[in-house]
Every structure is written in C-alpha cells, then in structure tokens.
PDB file of all heavy atoms in Angstrom:
ATOM      1  N   PRO A   1      59.347   5.174  45.482  1.00  0.00           N
ATOM      2  CA  PRO A   1      59.260   6.619  45.194  1.00  0.00           C
ATOM      3  C   PRO A   1      60.626   7.186  44.815  1.00  0.00           C
ATOM      4  O   PRO A   1      61.640   6.836  45.414  1.00  0.00           O
ATOM      5  CB  PRO A   1      58.762   7.199  46.523  1.00  0.00           C
ATOM      6  CG  PRO A   1      57.985   6.083  47.135  1.00  0.00           C
ATOM      7  CD  PRO A   1      58.731   4.833  46.768  1.00  0.00           C
ATOM      8  N   GLY A   2      60.618   8.047  43.808  1.00  0.00           N
ATOM      9  CA  GLY A   2      61.860   8.602  43.281  1.00  0.00           C
ATOM     10  C   GLY A   2      62.464   7.781  42.167  1.00  0.00           C
ATOM     11  O   GLY A   2      63.414   8.238  41.520  1.00  0.00           O
ATOM     12  N   GLY A   3      61.940   6.599  41.944  1.00  0.00           N
ATOM     13  CA  GLY A   3      62.473   5.726  40.916  1.00  0.00           C
ATOM     14  C   GLY A   3      61.963   6.070  39.525  1.00  0.00           C
ATOM     15  O   GLY A   3      61.217   7.033  39.331  1.00  0.00           O
ATOM     16  N   SER A   4      62.381   5.231  38.571  1.00  0.00           N
ATOM     17  CA  SER A   4      62.047   5.471  37.168  1.00  0.00           C
ATOM     18  C   SER A   4      61.522   4.200  36.507  1.00  0.00           C
ATOM     19  O   SER A   4      61.890   3.089  36.902  1.00  0.00           O
ATOM     20  CB  SER A   4      63.288   5.940  36.400  1.00  0.00           C
ATOM     21  OG  SER A   4      63.772   7.172  36.890  1.00  0.00           O
ATOM     22  N   LEU A   5      60.695   4.390  35.523  1.00  0.00           N
ATOM     23  CA  LEU A   5      60.218   3.324  34.645  1.00  0.00           C
ATOM     24  C   LEU A   5      60.080   3.910  33.243  1.00  0.00           C
ATOM     25  O   LEU A   5      59.889   5.120  33.078  1.00  0.00           O
ATOM     26  CB  LEU A   5      58.852   2.791  35.087  1.00  0.00           C
ATOM     27  CG  LEU A   5      58.771   1.901  36.317  1.00  0.00           C
ATOM     28  CD1 LEU A   5      57.318   1.635  36.673  1.00  0.00           C
ATOM     29  CD2 LEU A   5      59.516   0.587  36.082  1.00  0.00           C
ATOM     30  N   ARG A   6      60.159   3.024  32.254  1.00  0.00           N
ATOM     31  CA  ARG A   6      59.889   3.445  30.886  1.00  0.00           C
ATOM     32  C   ARG A   6      58.825   2.545  30.301  1.00  0.00           C
ATOM     33  O   ARG A   6      59.024   1.330  30.199  1.00  0.00           O
ATOM     34  CB  ARG A   6      61.147   3.408  30.022  1.00  0.00           C
ATOM     35  CG  ARG A   6      60.918   4.048  28.648  1.00  0.00           C
ATOM     36  CD  ARG A   6      62.170   4.112  27.816  1.00  0.00           C
ATOM     37  NE  ARG A   6      62.525   2.831  27.247  1.00  0.00           N
ATOM     38  CZ  ARG A   6      63.385   2.678  26.249  1.00  0.00           C
ATOM     39  NH1 ARG A   6      63.981   3.741  25.728  1.00  0.00           N
ATOM     40  NH2 ARG A   6      63.665   1.481  25.802  1.00  0.00           N
ATOM     41  N   LEU A   7      57.712   3.153  29.927  1.00  0.00           N
ATOM     42  CA  LEU A   7      56.631   2.418  29.292  1.00  0.00           C
ATOM     43  C   LEU A   7      56.776   2.518  27.775  1.00  0.00           C
ATOM     44  O   LEU A   7      57.173   3.553  27.235  1.00  0.00           O
ATOM     45  CB  LEU A   7      55.279   2.975  29.698  1.00  0.00           C
ATOM     46  CG  LEU A   7      54.994   3.072  31.198  1.00  0.00           C
ATOM     47  CD1 LEU A   7      53.563   3.543  31.433  1.00  0.00           C
ATOM     48  CD2 LEU A   7      55.252   1.755  31.886  1.00  0.00           C
ATOM     49  N   SER A   8      56.430   1.421  27.118  1.00  0.00           N
ATOM     50  CA  SER A   8      56.483   1.380  25.674  1.00  0.00           C
ATOM     51  C   SER A   8      55.146   0.897  25.131  1.00  0.00           C
ATOM     52  O   SER A   8      54.496   0.035  25.734  1.00  0.00           O
ATOM     53  CB  SER A   8      57.603   0.436  25.220  1.00  0.00           C
ATOM     54  OG  SER A   8      57.667   0.373  23.812  1.00  0.00           O
ATOM     55  N   CYS A   9      54.747   1.454  24.013  1.00  0.00           N
ATOM     56  CA  CYS A   9      53.516   1.039  23.339  1.00  0.00           C
ATOM     57  C   CYS A   9      53.855   0.752  21.882  1.00  0.00           C
ATOM     58  O   CYS A   9      54.301   1.649  21.154  1.00  0.00           O
ATOM     59  CB  CYS A   9      52.460   2.126  23.436  1.00  0.00           C
ATOM     60  SG  CYS A   9      50.973   1.819  22.476  1.00  0.00           S
ATOM     61  N   ALA A  10      53.652  -0.488  21.488  1.00  0.00           N
ATOM     62  CA  ALA A  10      53.897  -0.896  20.105  1.00  0.00           C
ATOM     63  C   ALA A  10      52.584  -0.893  19.340  1.00  0.00           C
ATOM     64  O   ALA A  10      51.602  -1.494  19.782  1.00  0.00           O
ATOM     65  CB  ALA A  10      54.527  -2.278  20.072  1.00  0.00           C
ATOM     66  N   ALA A  11      52.578  -0.224  18.194  1.00  0.00           N
ATOM     67  CA  ALA A  11      51.369  -0.101  17.384  1.00  0.00           C
ATOM     68  C   ALA A  11      51.517  -0.891  16.092  1.00  0.00           C
ATOM     69  O   ALA A  11      52.597  -0.957  15.508  1.00  0.00           O
ATOM     70  CB  ALA A  11      51.095   1.361  17.060  1.00  0.00           C
ATOM     71  N   SER A  12      50.414  -1.463  15.644  1.00  0.00           N
ATOM     72  CA  SER A  12      50.416  -2.191  14.386  1.00  0.00           C
ATOM     73  C   SER A  12      49.041  -2.084  13.739  1.00  0.00           C
ATOM     74  O   SER A  12      48.062  -1.765  14.407  1.00  0.00           O
ATOM     75  CB  SER A  12      50.770  -3.666  14.614  1.00  0.00           C
ATOM     76  OG  SER A  12      49.809  -4.282  15.445  1.00  0.00           O
ATOM     77  N   GLY A  13      49.004  -2.344  12.447  1.00  0.00           N
ATOM     78  CA  GLY A  13      47.723  -2.449  11.771  1.00  0.00           C
ATOM     79  C   GLY A  13      47.321  -1.248  10.960  1.00  0.00           C
ATOM     80  O   GLY A  13      46.353  -1.302  10.216  1.00  0.00           O
ATOM     81  N   SER A  14      48.025  -0.137  11.100  1.00  0.00           N
ATOM     82  CA  SER A  14      47.648   1.041  10.340  1.00  0.00           C
ATOM     83  C   SER A  14      48.849   1.959  10.198  1.00  0.00           C
ATOM     84  O   SER A  14      49.962   1.594  10.578  1.00  0.00           O
ATOM     85  CB  SER A  14      46.487   1.767  11.030  1.00  0.00           C
ATOM     86  OG  SER A  14      45.960   2.764  10.188  1.00  0.00           O
ATOM     87  N   VAL A  15      48.661   3.121   9.663  1.00  0.00           N
ATOM     88  CA  VAL A  15      49.758   4.051   9.439  1.00  0.00           C
ATOM     89  C   VAL A  15      49.970   4.860  10.720  1.00  0.00           C
ATOM     90  O   VAL A  15      49.269   5.842  10.987  1.00  0.00           O
ATOM     91  CB  VAL A  15      49.490   4.972   8.248  1.00  0.00           C
ATOM     92  CG1 VAL A  15      50.695   5.871   8.000  1.00  0.00           C
ATOM     93  CG2 VAL A  15      49.151   4.155   7.011  1.00  0.00           C
ATOM     94  N   PHE A  16      50.945   4.455  11.496  1.00  0.00           N
ATOM     95  CA  PHE A  16      51.159   4.972  12.841  1.00  0.00           C
ATOM     96  C   PHE A  16      51.326   6.484  12.838  1.00  0.00           C
ATOM     97  O   PHE A  16      50.783   7.181  13.694  1.00  0.00           O
ATOM     98  CB  PHE A  16      52.386   4.287  13.432  1.00  0.00           C
ATOM     99  CG  PHE A  16      52.802   4.807  14.772  1.00  0.00           C
ATOM    100  CD1 PHE A  16      52.120   4.416  15.916  1.00  0.00           C
ATOM    101  CD2 PHE A  16      53.874   5.675  14.904  1.00  0.00           C
ATOM    102  CE1 PHE A  16      52.501   4.887  17.164  1.00  0.00           C
ATOM    103  CE2 PHE A  16      54.266   6.138  16.128  1.00  0.00           C
ATOM    104  CZ  PHE A  16      53.574   5.752  17.275  1.00  0.00           C
ATOM    105  N   ARG A  17      52.056   7.010  11.879  1.00  0.00           N
ATOM    106  CA  ARG A  17      52.408   8.427  11.904  1.00  0.00           C
ATOM    107  C   ARG A  17      51.194   9.345  11.733  1.00  0.00           C
ATOM    108  O   ARG A  17      51.292  10.543  11.970  1.00  0.00           O
ATOM    109  CB  ARG A  17      53.441   8.728  10.829  1.00  0.00           C
ATOM    110  CG  ARG A  17      52.967   8.451   9.418  1.00  0.00           C
ATOM    111  CD  ARG A  17      54.042   8.748   8.385  1.00  0.00           C
ATOM    112  NE  ARG A  17      53.647   8.336   7.057  1.00  0.00           N
ATOM    113  CZ  ARG A  17      52.865   9.029   6.262  1.00  0.00           C
ATOM    114  NH1 ARG A  17      52.392  10.189   6.660  1.00  0.00           N
ATOM    115  NH2 ARG A  17      52.557   8.572   5.053  1.00  0.00           N
ATOM    116  N   LEU A  18      50.072   8.784  11.343  1.00  0.00           N
ATOM    117  CA  LEU A  18      48.869   9.587  11.140  1.00  0.00           C
ATOM    118  C   LEU A  18      48.035   9.748  12.417  1.00  0.00           C
ATOM    119  O   LEU A  18      47.036  10.468  12.411  1.00  0.00           O
ATOM    120  CB  LEU A  18      47.997   8.972  10.049  1.00  0.00           C
ATOM    121  CG  LEU A  18      48.633   8.883   8.665  1.00  0.00           C
ATOM    122  CD1 LEU A  18      47.644   8.255   7.686  1.00  0.00           C
ATOM    123  CD2 LEU A  18      49.075  10.249   8.177  1.00  0.00           C
ATOM    124  N   TYR A  19      48.456   9.063  13.483  1.00  0.00           N
ATOM    125  CA  TYR A  19      47.660   9.046  14.707  1.00  0.00           C
ATOM    126  C   TYR A  19      48.260   9.961  15.772  1.00  0.00           C
ATOM    127  O   TYR A  19      49.476   9.973  15.987  1.00  0.00           O
ATOM    128  CB  TYR A  19      47.589   7.627  15.271  1.00  0.00           C
ATOM    129  CG  TYR A  19      46.677   6.719  14.488  1.00  0.00           C
ATOM    130  CD1 TYR A  19      47.088   6.160  13.287  1.00  0.00           C
ATOM    131  CD2 TYR A  19      45.396   6.430  14.951  1.00  0.00           C
ATOM    132  CE1 TYR A  19      46.247   5.339  12.553  1.00  0.00           C
ATOM    133  CE2 TYR A  19      44.549   5.601  14.235  1.00  0.00           C
ATOM    134  CZ  TYR A  19      44.985   5.064  13.035  1.00  0.00           C
ATOM    135  OH  TYR A  19      44.143   4.258  12.315  1.00  0.00           O
ATOM    136  N   THR A  20      47.396  10.702  16.461  1.00  0.00           N
ATOM    137  CA  THR A  20      47.781  11.313  17.717  1.00  0.00           C
ATOM    138  C   THR A  20      47.856  10.210  18.760  1.00  0.00           C
ATOM    139  O   THR A  20      46.924   9.404  18.885  1.00  0.00           O
ATOM    140  CB  THR A  20      46.776  12.379  18.149  1.00  0.00           C
ATOM    141  OG1 THR A  20      46.896  13.514  17.279  1.00  0.00           O
ATOM    142  CG2 THR A  20      47.022  12.837  19.578  1.00  0.00           C
ATOM    143  N   MET A  21      48.967  10.156  19.488  1.00  0.00           N
ATOM    144  CA  MET A  21      49.181   9.101  20.474  1.00  0.00           C
ATOM    145  C   MET A  21      49.178   9.693  21.873  1.00  0.00           C
ATOM    146  O   MET A  21      49.512  10.871  22.064  1.00  0.00           O
ATOM    147  CB  MET A  21      50.513   8.395  20.219  1.00  0.00           C
ATOM    148  CG  MET A  21      50.627   7.770  18.834  1.00  0.00           C
ATOM    149  SD  MET A  21      49.381   6.509  18.539  1.00  0.00           S
ATOM    150  CE  MET A  21      49.819   5.308  19.805  1.00  0.00           C
ATOM    151  N   GLY A  22      48.843   8.861  22.828  1.00  0.00           N
ATOM    152  CA  GLY A  22      48.835   9.366  24.192  1.00  0.00           C
ATOM    153  C   GLY A  22      48.898   8.261  25.220  1.00  0.00           C
ATOM    154  O   GLY A  22      48.807   7.070  24.896  1.00  0.00           O
ATOM    155  N   TRP A  23      49.112   8.683  26.442  1.00  0.00           N
ATOM    156  CA  TRP A  23      49.067   7.799  27.604  1.00  0.00           C
ATOM    157  C   TRP A  23      48.030   8.329  28.581  1.00  0.00           C
ATOM    158  O   TRP A  23      47.985   9.542  28.861  1.00  0.00           O
ATOM    159  CB  TRP A  23      50.429   7.731  28.294  1.00  0.00           C
ATOM    160  CG  TRP A  23      51.461   6.984  27.529  1.00  0.00           C
ATOM    161  CD1 TRP A  23      52.382   7.498  26.673  1.00  0.00           C
ATOM    162  CD2 TRP A  23      51.678   5.571  27.551  1.00  0.00           C
ATOM    163  NE1 TRP A  23      53.159   6.507  26.147  1.00  0.00           N
ATOM    164  CE2 TRP A  23      52.754   5.305  26.685  1.00  0.00           C
ATOM    165  CE3 TRP A  23      51.089   4.507  28.222  1.00  0.00           C
ATOM    166  CZ2 TRP A  23      53.244   4.015  26.465  1.00  0.00           C
ATOM    167  CZ3 TRP A  23      51.572   3.235  28.011  1.00  0.00           C
ATOM    168  CH2 TRP A  23      52.636   2.986  27.140  1.00  0.00           C
ATOM    169  N   TYR A  24      47.204   7.432  29.076  1.00  0.00           N
ATOM    170  CA  TYR A  24      46.236   7.717  30.116  1.00  0.00           C
ATOM    171  C   TYR A  24      46.529   6.771  31.280  1.00  0.00           C
ATOM    172  O   TYR A  24      47.218   5.767  31.116  1.00  0.00           O
ATOM    173  CB  TYR A  24      44.812   7.480  29.612  1.00  0.00           C
ATOM    174  CG  TYR A  24      44.297   8.539  28.677  1.00  0.00           C
ATOM    175  CD1 TYR A  24      44.855   8.710  27.408  1.00  0.00           C
ATOM    176  CD2 TYR A  24      43.243   9.380  29.042  1.00  0.00           C
ATOM    177  CE1 TYR A  24      44.381   9.690  26.549  1.00  0.00           C
ATOM    178  CE2 TYR A  24      42.764  10.365  28.188  1.00  0.00           C
ATOM    179  CZ  TYR A  24      43.334  10.506  26.942  1.00  0.00           C
ATOM    180  OH  TYR A  24      42.863  11.472  26.092  1.00  0.00           O
ATOM    181  N   ARG A  25      45.996   7.101  32.432  1.00  0.00           N
ATOM    182  CA  ARG A  25      46.146   6.198  33.568  1.00  0.00           C
ATOM    183  C   ARG A  25      44.855   6.172  34.377  1.00  0.00           C
ATOM    184  O   ARG A  25      44.074   7.119  34.356  1.00  0.00           O
ATOM    185  CB  ARG A  25      47.324   6.610  34.453  1.00  0.00           C
ATOM    186  CG  ARG A  25      47.129   7.928  35.192  1.00  0.00           C
ATOM    187  CD  ARG A  25      48.394   8.320  35.916  1.00  0.00           C
ATOM    188  NE  ARG A  25      48.266   9.609  36.593  1.00  0.00           N
ATOM    189  CZ  ARG A  25      49.268  10.301  37.103  1.00  0.00           C
ATOM    190  NH1 ARG A  25      50.505   9.813  37.022  1.00  0.00           N
ATOM    191  NH2 ARG A  25      49.068  11.457  37.690  1.00  0.00           N
ATOM    192  N   GLN A  26      44.691   5.074  35.087  1.00  0.00           N
ATOM    193  CA  GLN A  26      43.530   4.913  35.948  1.00  0.00           C
ATOM    194  C   GLN A  26      43.989   4.369  37.286  1.00  0.00           C
ATOM    195  O   GLN A  26      44.483   3.240  37.365  1.00  0.00           O
ATOM    196  CB  GLN A  26      42.495   3.995  35.312  1.00  0.00           C
ATOM    197  CG  GLN A  26      41.182   3.945  36.078  1.00  0.00           C
ATOM    198  CD  GLN A  26      40.069   3.338  35.258  1.00  0.00           C
ATOM    199  OE1 GLN A  26      40.303   2.674  34.251  1.00  0.00           O
ATOM    200  NE2 GLN A  26      38.840   3.574  35.668  1.00  0.00           N
ATOM    201  N   ALA A  27      43.834   5.200  38.314  1.00  0.00           N
ATOM    202  CA  ALA A  27      44.166   4.776  39.674  1.00  0.00           C
ATOM    203  C   ALA A  27      42.982   4.030  40.267  1.00  0.00           C
ATOM    204  O   ALA A  27      41.837   4.208  39.827  1.00  0.00           O
ATOM    205  CB  ALA A  27      44.507   5.998  40.521  1.00  0.00           C
ATOM    206  N   PRO A  28      43.235   3.204  41.273  1.00  0.00           N
ATOM    207  CA  PRO A  28      42.139   2.440  41.895  1.00  0.00           C
ATOM    208  C   PRO A  28      41.036   3.369  42.386  1.00  0.00           C
ATOM    209  O   PRO A  28      41.296   4.347  43.085  1.00  0.00           O
ATOM    210  CB  PRO A  28      42.833   1.736  43.059  1.00  0.00           C
ATOM    211  CG  PRO A  28      44.257   1.623  42.636  1.00  0.00           C
ATOM    212  CD  PRO A  28      44.543   2.857  41.843  1.00  0.00           C
ATOM    213  N   GLY A  29      39.802   3.092  41.988  1.00  0.00           N
ATOM    214  CA  GLY A  29      38.662   3.873  42.429  1.00  0.00           C
ATOM    215  C   GLY A  29      38.494   5.210  41.763  1.00  0.00           C
ATOM    216  O   GLY A  29      37.619   6.001  42.161  1.00  0.00           O
ATOM    217  N   LYS A  30      39.304   5.512  40.761  1.00  0.00           N
ATOM    218  CA  LYS A  30      39.238   6.806  40.092  1.00  0.00           C
ATOM    219  C   LYS A  30      38.976   6.629  38.603  1.00  0.00           C
ATOM    220  O   LYS A  30      39.147   5.548  38.044  1.00  0.00           O
ATOM    221  CB  LYS A  30      40.524   7.587  40.317  1.00  0.00           C
ATOM    222  CG  LYS A  30      40.772   7.959  41.764  1.00  0.00           C
ATOM    223  CD  LYS A  30      41.971   8.878  41.901  1.00  0.00           C
ATOM    224  CE  LYS A  30      42.173   9.307  43.334  1.00  0.00           C
ATOM    225  NZ  LYS A  30      43.346  10.233  43.464  1.00  0.00           N
ATOM    226  N   GLN A  31      38.591   7.721  37.965  1.00  0.00           N
ATOM    227  CA  GLN A  31      38.372   7.690  36.531  1.00  0.00           C
ATOM    228  C   GLN A  31      39.691   7.717  35.769  1.00  0.00           C
ATOM    229  O   GLN A  31      40.713   8.191  36.283  1.00  0.00           O
ATOM    230  CB  GLN A  31      37.506   8.891  36.121  1.00  0.00           C
ATOM    231  CG  GLN A  31      36.071   8.815  36.597  1.00  0.00           C
ATOM    232  CD  GLN A  31      35.218   9.938  36.032  1.00  0.00           C
ATOM    233  OE1 GLN A  31      35.722  11.015  35.725  1.00  0.00           O
ATOM    234  NE2 GLN A  31      33.937   9.686  35.874  1.00  0.00           N
ATOM    235  N   ARG A  32      39.654   7.216  34.569  1.00  0.00           N
ATOM    236  CA  ARG A  32      40.824   7.278  33.708  1.00  0.00           C
ATOM    237  C   ARG A  32      41.111   8.744  33.375  1.00  0.00           C
ATOM    238  O   ARG A  32      40.201   9.507  33.076  1.00  0.00           O
ATOM    239  CB  ARG A  32      40.571   6.491  32.418  1.00  0.00           C
ATOM    240  CG  ARG A  32      41.802   6.216  31.602  1.00  0.00           C
ATOM    241  CD  ARG A  32      41.491   5.283  30.436  1.00  0.00           C
ATOM    242  NE  ARG A  32      41.021   3.985  30.900  1.00  0.00           N
ATOM    243  CZ  ARG A  32      40.832   2.942  30.068  1.00  0.00           C
ATOM    244  NH1 ARG A  32      41.083   3.075  28.771  1.00  0.00           N
ATOM    245  NH2 ARG A  32      40.393   1.798  30.548  1.00  0.00           N
ATOM    246  N   GLU A  33      42.402   9.105  33.447  1.00  0.00           N
ATOM    247  CA  GLU A  33      42.775  10.491  33.193  1.00  0.00           C
ATOM    248  C   GLU A  33      43.928  10.579  32.192  1.00  0.00           C
ATOM    249  O   GLU A  33      44.761   9.665  32.089  1.00  0.00           O
ATOM    250  CB  GLU A  33      43.200  11.189  34.497  1.00  0.00           C
ATOM    251  CG  GLU A  33      44.447  10.635  35.138  1.00  0.00           C
ATOM    252  CD  GLU A  33      45.001  11.501  36.263  1.00  0.00           C
ATOM    253  OE1 GLU A  33      44.477  12.608  36.505  1.00  0.00           O
ATOM    254  OE2 GLU A  33      45.983  11.063  36.895  1.00  0.00           O
TER     255      GLU A  33
END
C-alpha cells in the first residue's frame, strides 16, 4: 500500500489513434469496472 506501478498496453493491427482507449479492472468476486 502506498506504492506505485505503471501499466502499459501495446496495440497493433489497426490505426491506434482512431480508438478510444481505456483501462478496466476486475477484483475477485466482482464485476469488471
């Protein structure tokens, strides 16, 4: 707790700049949010 991480997502196969991008998460036993 209190620490840091950096997540990265590499995209390929299409024109990246045309896409809305996002991050979702799913905790154990919960829905993806």
Side-chain angles (χ1 to χ4, degrees):
S4 297
L5 286 173
R6 189 176 76 164
L7 306 185
S8 180
C9 173
S12 62
S14 190
V15 183
F16 175 78
R17 61 181 173 81
L18 298 180
Y19 286 78
T20 289
M21 302 299 298
W23 289 94
Y24 285 67
R25 68 186 178 192
Q26 188 165 17
K30 296 187 177 181
Q31 291 187 332
R32 193 173 298 188
E33 65 169 355

